[in-house]
Amino acid sequence: MKKINSAFALLLMISLLAGGEIARAQSMGKQTVAMLEESPAGSKILRFVKAVNKGEAIPDDFIKLIFHEDLIAKAGLAGLKNMMENDIPENDGKLTLYLVERVERFKFVLYAKGSKSPGWLKMDFTHKGSSPYKIVGVGVDGIDEAPERADKPMKID
């Protein structure tokens, strides 16, 4: 009886590990809005974009909710708020997402067009590798062309 239980336990463990690898592989690459909403890290990216597009003052509590304390210490609370309230809206306007890719376990790259800018934006979001997966790095670059996979706008509310 013990051999059957041990064999069953081993089979179950192998199945769980294989299932985890499949789930992790499926979460890499191009992301849908639903995938982002379900992901603790991805949902912070959506909150970021929605807050920028809202065009209102960003509360300190919101900054602390999505950004990790290390980034807040480095960039400053005022610096992060200024990026979201002024820099992006003044230079690019409202952001329309076309593509979000998960390129590493805790790193996403999004491609967007701004309502005020002729080119594209490539934004890198790096997240802390532990819960609650707050943003530890943001990069914003203007680029001439988006990747081919950025074919139609993503609908976010």
Side-chain angles (χ1 to χ4, degrees):
M1 188 74 160
K2 284 188 178 186
K3 287 183 181 179
I4 293 174
N5 287 338
S6 296
F8 179 75
L10 180 61
L11 182 62
L12 181 61
M13 188 165 70
I14 291 170
S15 297
L16 290 173
L17 290 173
E21 288 300 315
I22 291 169
R24 187 176 348 169
Q26 290 175 344
S27 65
M28 298 299 285
K30 188 173 181 176
Q31 304 288 292
T32 65
V33 173
M35 292 167 77
L36 293 169
E37 289 171 342
E38 291 177 7
S39 162
S43 65
K44 287 172 183 60
I45 295 170
L46 290 177
R47 288 179 187 161
F48 177 96
V49 172
K50 289 176 184 180
V52 167
N53 286 349
K54 206 171 190 181
E56 297 176 357
I58 309 283
D60 292 355
D61 288 345
F62 180 81
I63 297 294
K64 293 174 184 175
L65 178 69
I66 67 169
F67 292 107
H68 191 270
E69 60 193 30
D70 293 347
L71 182 58
I72 294 171
K74 184 186 277 185
L77 197 63
L80 293 169
K81 287 175 69 167
N82 187 57
M83 173 184 59
M84 294 178 71
E85 292 175 352
N86 300 311
D87 292 343
I88 294 173
E90 288 176 10
N91 293 318
D92 302 297
K94 292 188 184 279
L95 302 176
T96 301
L97 294 182
Y98 279 80
L99 175 65
V100 179
E101 292 184 306
R102 187 175 195 170
V103 295
E104 295 175 17
R105 190 167 180 200
F106 302 111
K107 184 174 182 178
F108 294 77
V109 177
L110 71 83
Y111 296 90
K113 287 197 73 118
S115 60
K116 292 183 180 178
S117 54
W120 287 80
L121 286 178
K122 176 184 176 191
M123 301 178 73
D124 300 300
F125 287 87
T126 306
H127 299 267
K128 184 73 173 177
S130 59
S131 185
Y133 305 101
K134 292 185 178 183
I135 299 167
V136 293
V138 178
V140 181
D141 293 311
I143 59 174
D144 294 329
E145 294 181 23
E148 291 177 18
R149 297 171 309 283
D151 53 354
K152 59 183 178 177
M154 297 172 72
K155 296 190 188 283
I156 62 171
D157 296 324

